[in-house]
Amino acid sequence: MKITKVEPFIVHLPLTSDSISDSTHSITHWGVVGAKITTSDGRSGYGFTGTHAHLASDRLITACIRDCYAPLLIGEDASDHSRLWRKLARNPALQWVGRAGITHLALAAIDVALWDIKAKAADQPLWSYLGGARTDRVEAYNTDIGWLSFGLADLLAGAARAVEEEGFSRLKIKVGHDDPNVDIARLSAVRERVGSGVRIAIDGNGKWDLPTCMRFCASARDLDIYWFEEPLWYDDVEGHASLARGTSIPIALGEQLYTVDAFRSFISAGAVSYVQPDVTRLGGITEYIQVADLALAHRLPVVPHAGEMSQVHVHLSYWHPASTILEYIPWIKDHFEEPIDVREGVYRRPEHPGAGTTVLESSFDRYGKALA
Ligand code: 0YR
Ligand code: MG
């Protein structure tokens, strides 16, 4: 399985709504930015990171793949994956300019493509290749009904539809208004509409400061919030630890963390209860497994970021023993050979060989962007 080609790509896929906002970002497209790796025996693997579809910064990722990683990969054996990961991640030139950020997003894409090739070569879906399924049922929670940009009427209608018609029993609602009382009022209305049996998590996407979060959590005490995700700035270990000590609402975070070391800092500080790794931001599946094992060793549940936006998390959630539930945002599913499928709030187990990352040629044709 000699690597013969590494071809970067950028695809900008339109969202299912025209645009959405959380407390920090407003977006109209999701960026699927990565690489197709081809081997001498005619196999190809696909891996990608996820972006908010800004072409100039997406091109920094594909330039890193093309100019820095591809030359280190051509001629190597794809099954020498462990050594290749180190060769890329610990390459002195790259390590000097980026142990996180663009170089790490590019590494994520390469690593996922290599796992995809290996699982395809074994003719097994990734979850099976990794050791088999821990469960026959990975439950999805719905984030796509809860955007901050939705007015109250749409929020309530979406929550009711998800619960009553689509079979979800878990929802996530974005918070982060300048006046947190607006969020309290929205959450109270959703709680009243869907009843006490539905689990409601919230996501602040890192906007508020510690005193705002403290006041908010005190006001939210009676709303039975399942977790408060990214309440504070992503890298603030001590702030999250203080908040965790000061509220009974469990803290969730991890979608913005790049390394197993960052997760270790949060976990050892007691700053996180729900661990949320993302293969597309960590150094791929390889580093995700390290984080999930770390969570397991601390008996903490793993709830990866957005299963739809990184198909791979469905496989990992079926396999890794620390996994629990998985986020549902249905933006990009129709652009893959094996689309993600959620029925009655449960992810169907993937059955195609590989990591589920093979992008449809028709989607490249329609939504692909020039690399320069
Ligand atoms: C939009 N999920 C998230 C989207 C979402 C973000 O910025 O990327 O809200 O990924 O926080 O939990
Ligand atoms: Mg989030």
Side-chain angles (χ1 to χ4, degrees), residues 7-330:
E7 297 167 277
F9 58 76
I10 298 174
V11 184
H12 286 176
L13 301 170
L15 310 187
T16 37
S17 339
D18 288 345
S19 70
I20 61 88
S21 304
D22 59 28
S23 71
T24 312
H25 299 99
S26 294
I27 63 176
T28 61
H29 290 71
W30 191 255
V32 172
V33 180
K36 174 183 178 186
I37 297 183
T38 306
T39 54
S40 50
D41 52 344
R43 279 199 182 78
S44 40
Y46 295 77
F48 58 88
T49 189
T51 74
H52 286 168
H54 299 291
L55 193 52
S57 44
D58 288 352
R59 283 176 172 162
L60 297 177
I61 300 169
T62 51
C64 179
I65 293 172
R66 184 193 58 212
D67 300 337
C68 301
Y69 289 141
L72 300 175
L73 289 166
I74 300 294
E76 290 278 15
D77 190 323
S79 48
D80 246 355
H81 188 167
S82 246
R83 186 176 58 76
L84 292 181
W85 195 92
R86 277 197 75 79
K87 185 179 177 185
L88 269 49
R90 302 289 175 256
N91 181 266
L94 285 159
Q95 187 170 312
W96 190 259
V97 297
R99 290 186 300 279
I102 286 154
T103 56
H104 219 66
L105 298 173
L107 176 65
I110 300 286
D111 179 80
V112 171
L114 292 175
W115 279 100
D116 187 37
I117 290 180
K118 289 195 299 180
K120 282 172 175 166
D123 202 27
Q124 293 179 62
L126 181 70
W127 59 264
S128 167
Y129 180 67
L130 285 167
R134 68 172 174 97
T135 178
D136 56 7
R137 205 170 176 281
V138 170
E139 207 181 317
Y141 74 84
N142 193 320
T143 295
D144 201 38
I145 54 93
W147 300 108
L148 205 66
S149 44
F150 291 173
L152 184 59
D154 286 343
L155 177 65
L156 292 175
R161 190 181 58 243
V163 171
E164 288 155 17
E165 292 169 32
E166 295 166 9
F168 288 94
S169 58
R170 299 162 185 271
L171 308 174
K172 191 162 85 189
I173 313 287
K174 296 289 181 179
V175 298
H177 287 87
D178 290 336
D179 176 1
N181 290 325
V182 174
D183 295 288
I184 295 288
R186 284 161 65 88
L187 291 170
S188 306
V190 174
R191 173 55 80 204
E192 195 171 316
R193 181 67 185 79
V194 300
S196 58
V198 173
R199 294 190 174 167
I200 301 175
I202 59 173
D203 189 352
N205 290 98
K207 180 179 165 191
W208 285 334
D209 59 17
L210 185 57
T212 307
C213 286
M214 291 292 218
R215 267 196 297 273
F216 171 85
C217 287
S219 310
R221 216 173 15 221
D222 299 329
L223 293 172
D224 190 17
I225 300 299
Y226 197 64
W227 72 59
F228 188 177
E229 178 171 326
E230 295 197 316
L232 299 162
W233 176 253
Y234 321 119
D235 300 315
D236 182 359
V237 178
E238 284 163 27
H240 283 96
S242 298
L243 184 61
R245 285 191 296 272
T247 173
S248 59
I249 302 174
I251 304 299
L253 56 82
E255 67 175 73
Q256 293 280 340
L257 301 183
Y258 289 93
T259 61
V260 65
D261 308 80
F263 277 93
R264 189 190 55 188
S265 300
F266 278 94
I267 290 174
S268 10
V272 56
S273 293
Y274 289 93
V275 179
Q276 302 186 301
D278 188 334
V279 292
T280 70
R281 188 172 301 274
L282 289 159
I285 294 165
T286 301
E287 199 165 24
Y288 177 104
I289 293 171
Q290 296 164 8
V291 171
D293 286 347
L294 179 70
L296 180 71
H298 288 81
R299 305 285 157 204
L300 293 174
V302 169
V303 188
H305 176 223
E308 292 281 359
M309 295 192 290
S310 55
Q311 318 282 97
V312 184
H313 292 154
V314 183
H315 289 262
L316 290 167
S317 295
Y318 266 103
W319 163 65
H320 195 279
S323 313
T324 54
I325 58 176
L326 179 53
E327 180 163 31
Y328 175 74
I329 303 179

